[in-house]
Amino acid sequence: MEHSPRRAFLRRAGALSLGFVPFFVRGAEPARPPLKAKPDPYADAVFVDGEPPLPAEGSFTFAVLPDTQFYSEKYPETFLAQTTWIVENRVSYRIAATFHLGDITNQNTVPQWENARRALRVLMDAGMPLCLTTGNHDHGPKGNGADRSTLFTDFFPVAELSRAPHWAGNYDREPKRAENTFHRLNVAGRRFLVLCLEFAPRRDVLRWADEVVAAHADLEVILLTHVLVYHDDTRYDWRKFGKKQDWNPHVYGLAQPDDDVNDGEEIWQQLISRHENFLLTLNGHVVEDGLGRLVTSTAKGRRVPQLLVNFQMKPNGGDGWLRLIEMRKDGTMRTFDYSPTRKQTNASPQNQFTIPWA
């Protein structure tokens, strides 16, 4: 029987005497290093199936949406699931308002803003108060933060936002832009001023914000801005830490040419610490575990809680996690992190905790 050239080659090489050896095997090929296991994004999680407990009698809730950038880019149905859940549970959880902490989109493009608007319109159409901030990914070409150009006001114009009953005004030198706004909320006998500041607020924006807070000394102030607290429970502080803290506003292109940006410590010194009516600050932006908190006292002793919350590093762009802050009658705030897509609450000490009201 005549053998094929390939079979003859194998016989001469001795392969057939050892049994079948695949033709592609080469003993000289170097071994590949083992793949490094990715860190478990839920290593510290304590999952509880179902929704968080309903607020106590006389309490109410603020819903917080941090860094929805990947939902707007790749998972728009998750963004819709979040806002739909908020509307459907507005009565049972007594949700007084929804706060967005910036990075609404990932690349500041029309399709991503369309996805974001579709999700956030669920809240607006339901007549629920919505307070928005911008993040670095909402500015510059492809969301690179190179400059302050943004499509935010194109998709959320002042003419539309200002029709909401809670709207109270915007940055006086940019009356047609909505990156810097303030809002009044009356909830359960309490009166709040919600101040929304752009990513890395400029010096004159802080001047305006300082005047707004001073003019509302009888209201409790909640500050929303994209950058303030770092993941190690400190504030962003360029002068003290420089590039040791990743993604400080001072490293972005929009800081040029005259470094007209302010980080967390600068916002504290030039705005928050000057007043005795700040109740709470909220920011996103930071990854690692995406969580942080500290309490700092003003010169007169008012203790101001400052919270970082960000879920973008979780699977599927964030797994749908949002934060609920229950404002209780006993003078405390209680946080609950819930995902309407996973239908779970994360009860770890980093996600569920109690802090006193200022």
Side-chain angles (χ1 to χ4, degrees):
M1 181 175 179
E2 188 173 348
H3 300 296
S4 68
R6 178 174 181 271
R7 185 175 179 82
F9 171 82
L10 290 170
R11 184 180 296 281
R12 289 195 301 272
L16 292 182
S17 64
L18 298 174
F20 175 72
V21 177
F23 190 66
F24 57 84
V25 172
R26 295 184 177 93
E29 184 175 340
R32 296 181 179 180
L35 295 175
K36 292 183 179 180
K38 293 184 178 180
D40 181 358
Y42 290 119
D44 299 325
V46 179
F47 292 127
V48 178
D49 291 339
E51 298 172 339
L54 295 176
E57 184 66 29
S59 302
F60 57 92
T61 303
F62 292 124
V64 182
L65 295 173
D67 297 73
T68 56
Q69 60 201 76
F70 295 131
Y71 305 147
S72 296
E73 181 185 23
K74 298 179 180 178
Y75 306 96
E77 68 284 353
T78 302
F79 205 164
L80 276 169
Q82 289 182 310
T83 55
T84 299
W85 185 89
I86 292 171
V87 170
E88 290 177 346
N89 290 273
R90 63 185 298 186
V91 175
S92 57
Y93 283 88
R94 296 193 284 279
I95 300 175
T98 300
F99 303 149
H100 200 299
L101 305 184
D103 277 0
I104 300 171
T105 68
N106 193 38
Q107 295 172 323
N108 190 30
T109 61
V110 168
Q112 292 178 25
W113 281 109
E114 288 175 339
N115 286 337
R117 179 172 171 82
R118 188 176 303 113
L120 293 171
R121 274 302 303 245
V122 172
L123 299 168
M124 297 167 70
D125 290 345
M128 295 191 69
L130 172 64
C131 303
L132 301 168
T133 57
T134 58
N136 51 292
H137 282 278
D138 299 319
H139 292 275
K142 297 295 184 181
N144 64 3
D147 55 47
R148 291 199 179 273
S149 62
T150 179
L151 296 174
F152 173 66
T153 300
D154 295 341
F155 284 86
F156 297 94
V158 170
E160 178 184 34
L161 296 177
S162 62
R163 291 197 294 266
H166 60 87
W167 174 278
N170 57 337
Y171 176 38
D172 52 10
R173 295 191 178 174
E174 293 177 349
K176 295 184 179 181
R177 299 181 69 92
E179 292 97 302
N180 297 286
T181 61
F182 67 104
H183 312 262
R184 298 188 189 96
L185 297 172
N186 296 326
V187 190
R190 303 192 74 93
R191 300 163 65 229
F192 300 96
L193 170 73
V194 182
L195 181 63
C196 304
L197 299 184
E198 65 190 3
F199 169 68
R202 292 161 284 174
R203 287 185 288 272
D204 193 64
V205 168
L206 290 186
R207 181 274 310 164
W208 164 81
D210 185 67
E211 293 175 0
V212 168
V213 175
H216 296 84
D218 57 332
L219 304 185
E220 296 179 284
V221 181
I222 298 173
L223 172 64
L224 313 181
T225 193
H226 192 58
V227 176
L228 203 146
V229 174
Y230 197 55
H231 68 80
D232 61 357
D233 300 336
T234 63
R235 279 189 295 272
Y236 268 100
D237 190 338
W238 180 249
R239 292 178 181 175
K240 183 176 182 179
F241 299 113
K243 293 184 179 180
K244 292 180 181 179
Q245 291 177 322
D246 295 326
W247 318 291
N248 188 292
H250 289 275
V251 305
Y252 287 85
L254 54 72
Q256 303 304 320
D258 58 352
D259 201 33
D260 189 9
V261 298
N262 288 277
D263 63 17
E265 183 62 24
E266 291 161 326
I267 294 171
W268 171 265
Q269 295 294 341
Q270 298 176 45
L271 177 64
I272 303 168
S273 66
R274 297 182 179 184
H275 302 274
E276 298 304 313
N277 57 330
F278 274 89
L279 174 70
L280 175 69
T281 77
L282 294 165
N283 72 276
H285 183 61
V286 191
V287 291
E288 299 298 333
D289 66 355
L291 302 170
R293 64 185 188 266
L294 75 156
V295 178
T296 313
S297 296
T298 65
K300 294 184 178 180
R302 183 178 178 86
R303 293 169 57 81
V304 184
Q306 302 142 73
L307 304 184
L308 154 69
V309 55
N310 182 15
F311 303 115
Q312 70 181 82
M313 71 296 297
K314 304 299 184 187
N316 308 306
D319 264 355
W321 293 100
L322 55 85
R323 173 161 288 184
L324 301 175
I325 302 179
E326 181 185 343
M327 312 297 283
R328 297 181 169 183
K329 287 184 66 176
D330 65 2
T332 62
M333 294 178 277
R334 181 73 167 167
T335 67
F336 297 94
D337 291 345
Y338 174 70
S339 168
T341 56
R342 293 175 61 101
K343 301 187 185 307
Q344 289 180 316
T345 301
N346 189 344
S348 84
Q350 278 283 80
N351 299 85
Q352 188 168 306
F353 53 89
T354 301
I355 52 178
W357 288 22

